[in-house]
Amino acid sequence: MIGQNQNTIKLNNRCQVLKQIACKGPISRTELAASTGLTKATSGNIVNELINNRIVAEDYPDTDNQNKVGRPSKLLSVSREAPLICGILIKRRFYTICIASLSGSMQYTETYDFPPGLTSSTLLRLLLDSFITASSNYPGRILGIGIACIGPVDMIEGEILEPPNFYGINHVDICGFFRKETGLPCYLISDSSSGALAEKTYGSARNMPNYVYLHIMDGIGSGYILNDSLYNGDRGIVGEIGHTTINHAGPRCACGNIGCLELYANTTRMESTIRNLEDDYHKKADNLIPTGQGGELTFPDIIQAANKESVFAIIALEEFCDYLASALVNIINILNVNHIIIGYDGISGENSFERILQEKIRKRILAKQDNIVIRRSIFQGNAPLIGSIALIANKIFDGSINF
């Protein structure tokens, strides 16, 4: 029993050291010991072991300061020879597959459109073929496969359930399929929870104990970090904020519910608002350039026009934020979470969207919760893909997958 406890402690220490190097590196040995709480001797022995196994590398930092006296300390980072992770992101119209390091650095990325008439078997075959292609350059060096998918998904069983408007595909045991075909560990997560995990593992929220991640792309989903951990509920079927009712007298949604948020807060409705305003005022909206297929407006198009003070775009965005705030206020009042991180495609930096949404929420929440902070994900719309890597990385960091 004592030996088992010592082995467990050693494994936990190794995992903790690797996590700090992967998520906070390049990092010095002194900083590493401080961040892990281990003695310099203990962390140093683990580092030497990881270096000998080519999982971690140590080198002097690049510096342009030629006048600095003395040689700088060596820094630790994930080795280029370390094992890798495969990540897959499944959206409604396309999927992306990537190979990345334990630190989240992408080595390979490819996106494919789904063919018409997609079926469950076709989906699995396409994903497997893409995995074989992606991993062919990295034989024997993939530690696991993380899959982020539009929800709802069952994280426990590794099953895609019944995503609305997804070719009628439902109840697909995707993790079981990949485990059988590849022999690798495979885990499934919803795209919005994946985005939340990306921010916690590799993003700007690593030191933030509680926040809501909001993902806007072909729908609206949310993920939750509570008490420094991803909240999964009983089976991981969480964050379906787009399918919460905001109008009990509203139309029936494809999910079967009534008056869902996504029926009101969507790009099609925003474009309709703008076109109606153009007809009413007999003028085109300023600074509004469609970039979507067939000339339709995209969410980033409308935000960019609003940033440039297009009145019609601002009105449409205000309406969108009214609906979105209705759902978010309920979450904030229930969870008392002050930070909301939003992931979506488009131009970088803070936009009119975050400012407008923050103002609307602050006017509606309970007293003493007026310190709400809303900001853009540093990964923009790529957070769910990065989260698929973070899903496996965290399984490695907690010892579930042997590295």
Side-chain angles (χ1 to χ4, degrees):
M1 183 65 68
I2 294 176
Q4 289 180 350
N5 289 339
Q6 290 176 339
N7 288 336
T8 299
I9 292 171
K10 183 177 180 180
L11 174 61
N12 291 338
N13 289 343
R14 288 175 71 231
C15 290
Q16 181 65 10
V17 166
L18 181 61
K19 180 178 180 179
Q20 295 299 314
I21 294 172
C23 298
K24 296 183 179 180
I27 186 172
S28 70
R29 288 181 180 245
T30 300
E31 293 169 330
L32 178 63
S35 64
T36 59
L38 301 173
T39 65
K40 289 185 178 181
T42 298
S43 64
N45 289 335
I46 295 172
V47 165
N48 291 337
E49 179 187 353
L50 294 174
I51 291 175
N52 290 335
N53 285 286
R54 299 182 180 181
I55 295 172
V56 167
E58 185 175 32
D59 205 352
Y60 292 106
D62 294 332
T63 178
D64 295 329
N65 188 355
Q66 303 297 326
N67 297 321
K68 187 173 181 179
V69 178
R71 174 174 278 186
S73 299
K74 286 185 176 182
L75 299 180
L76 301 163
S77 59
V78 173
S79 170
R80 294 180 181 178
E81 300 177 74
L84 300 167
I85 298 170
C86 175
I88 299 174
L89 172 63
I90 301 173
K91 305 302 292 183
R92 281 190 173 84
R93 292 173 290 183
F94 63 89
Y95 67 97
T96 300
I97 187 165
C98 67
I99 303 293
S101 71
L102 288 170
S103 62
S105 175
M106 295 293 176
Q107 311 294 317
Y108 170 97
T109 306
E110 194 67 53
T111 297
Y112 304 88
D113 291 329
F114 285 127
L118 186 70
T119 64
S120 298
S121 58
T122 304
L123 171 66
L124 293 175
R125 177 50 56 184
L126 286 171
L127 295 177
L128 180 60
D129 288 346
S130 297
F131 168 78
I132 293 171
T133 298
S135 60
S136 62
N137 294 321
Y138 309 97
R141 299 193 58 78
I142 307 296
L143 287 176
I145 302 169
I147 303 174
C149 181
I150 52 175
V153 303
D154 185 332
M155 288 181 61
I156 303 300
E157 296 297 330
E159 182 180 9
I160 300 173
L161 297 177
E162 300 181 50
N165 306 311
F166 189 54
Y167 305 94
I169 290 174
N170 60 81
H171 298 283
V172 180
D173 181 13
I174 191 167
C175 286
F177 172 82
F178 267 97
R179 288 166 186 156
K180 179 181 178 181
E181 295 293 331
T182 68
L184 293 172
C186 181
Y187 294 90
L188 177 66
I189 189 172
S190 71
D191 55 354
S192 49
S193 290
S194 186
L197 191 59
E199 288 289 343
K200 185 63 178 174
T201 307
Y202 300 121
S204 60
R206 280 174 284 190
N207 297 318
M208 193 179 297
N210 302 293
Y211 62 88
V212 175
Y213 171 82
L214 190 70
H215 186 64
I216 301 177
M217 181 182 287
D218 290 335
I220 302 173
S222 54
Y224 307 94
I225 297 293
L226 303 177
N227 296 325
D228 273 322
S229 298
L230 180 69
Y231 177 72
N232 292 322
D234 289 331
R235 307 200 68 81
I237 310 171
V238 299
E240 296 297 333
I241 185 176
H243 296 287
T244 55
T245 297
I246 63 169
N247 181 7
H248 291 283
R252 185 171 296 278
C253 179
C255 74
N257 198 9
I258 298 294
C260 289
L261 172 64
E262 286 187 8
L263 297 175
Y264 298 90
N266 59 65
T267 306
T268 300
R269 193 180 183 100
M270 295 171 78
E271 180 170 14
S272 177
T273 296
I274 291 170
R275 300 311 180 200
N276 289 337
L277 288 167
E278 289 178 332
D279 291 341
D280 291 343
Y281 289 90
H282 305 290
K283 61 173 292 188
K284 289 290 185 181
D286 297 330
N287 301 312
L288 193 60
I289 303 174
T291 60
Q293 295 180 352
E296 76 269 16
L297 294 174
T298 66
F299 190 66
D301 295 338
I302 297 171
I303 291 179
Q304 187 162 7
N307 290 343
K308 296 179 179 179
E309 300 185 350
S310 170
V311 175
F312 294 169
I314 291 173
I315 292 173
L317 191 56
E318 291 262 3
E319 182 182 58
F320 180 93
C321 289
D322 272 330
Y323 294 126
L324 187 55
S326 297
L328 286 174
V329 165
N330 291 331
I331 292 174
I332 293 169
N333 285 341
I334 292 170
L335 298 179
N336 186 214
V337 175
N338 294 329
H339 289 83
I340 298 174
I341 301 174
I342 307 180
Y344 57 93
D345 286 332
I347 56 177
S348 303
E350 297 292 327
N351 294 302
S352 300
F353 175 36
E354 287 84 50
R355 175 181 54 79
I356 293 172
L357 182 60
Q358 184 165 291
E359 290 173 355
K360 291 185 178 296
I361 288 176
R362 284 180 172 176
K363 291 178 180 178
R364 301 172 63 170
I365 55 176
L366 294 174
K368 295 187 178 181
Q369 294 192 87
D370 58 353
N371 57 339
I372 301 299
V373 176
I374 299 178
R375 69 168 184 257
R376 181 91 178 271
S377 168
I378 63 170
F379 302 121
Q380 300 182 39
N382 288 325
L385 178 63
I386 296 169
S388 69
I389 298 298
L391 177 62
I392 299 300
N394 279 283
K395 295 293 183 182
I396 294 168
F397 300 149
D398 69 16
S400 298
I401 296 177
N402 186 10
F403 63 89

